[in-house]
Amino acid sequence: KQMKIDRLNAIPEDAEAGTVEEFMYKDGEKEILEKLDNDLVGLVPVKSRVREIAALLVVDKLRRNLGLDTSVPSLHMCFTGAPGTGKTTVAMRMGQILQRMGYCRSGHLVVATRDDLVGQYVGHTAPKTKEVIKKAMGGV
């Protein structure tokens, strides 16, 4: 704990890590969040959560710029709900945000249903699931 305190105290007062606006405007994350607001009517908790995740990623970048310890935030997500509730739209926008902020390579979206993951025979589920995961690598 003392080592962390010493590291914080060693950061010069005039050291700049950047600003939130710089990270949110630089690569177009702000525009993606605005598109999300325009694409979906209602869903205030979902939009708030997406903004919280984007803010967490910005803080992670700012900490990294100051040389502070950061761990890669867990970005595992599962979008569930009834048909037509905006799951795919939210996932697509989240992929674009993650890609532009440098947390995933391509930001592509892979949609999987139960049929894509569960096999018809014993021992068939694992290879099917592994294939879907392989397709999703680097994206959402």
Side-chain angles (χ1 to χ4, degrees):
K1 185 175 180 179
Q2 185 61 40
M3 201 165 96
K4 287 183 180 180
I5 294 171
D6 292 341
R7 193 174 306 152
L8 281 172
N9 290 333
I11 297 172
E13 289 292 325
D14 59 347
E16 290 194 25
T19 64
V20 173
E21 283 76 26
E22 177 183 315
F23 282 102
M24 292 300 277
Y25 285 113
K26 184 173 74 174
D27 294 322
E29 288 85 2
K30 216 50 158 179
E31 289 82 21
I32 294 170
L33 292 171
E34 288 171 7
K35 279 184 189 176
L36 186 65
D37 283 341
N38 295 332
D39 289 349
L40 300 174
V41 176
L43 296 176
V44 175
V46 173
K47 294 176 191 178
S48 296
R49 184 65 182 139
V50 170
R51 287 183 181 281
E52 288 172 8
I53 292 169
L56 172 74
L57 298 176
V58 168
V59 169
D60 182 60
K61 292 232 181 226
L62 293 171
R63 288 179 56 86
R64 197 174 305 149
N65 285 352
L66 285 173
L68 298 173
D69 289 338
T70 63
S71 59
V72 176
S74 177
L75 299 172
H76 298 281
M77 298 174 214
C78 183
F79 300 95
T80 61
T85 55
K87 299 177 296 289
T88 304
T89 303
V90 172
M92 187 172 52
R93 298 289 179 241
M94 198 69 232
Q96 291 170 343
I97 289 170
L98 294 173
Q99 189 265 329
R100 293 209 177 147
M101 293 185 92
Y103 284 94
C104 63
R105 288 184 296 266
S106 65
H108 68 281
L109 178 65
V110 175
V111 178
T113 63
R114 180 189 184 282
D115 294 339
D116 299 321
L117 301 172
V118 179
Q120 296 174 341
Y121 312 104
V122 175
H124 195 233
T125 298
K128 284 184 82 171
T129 303
K130 199 180 256 187
E131 185 64 32
V132 171
I133 291 171
K134 199 181 290 186
K135 284 183 199 172
M137 293 298 275
V140 175

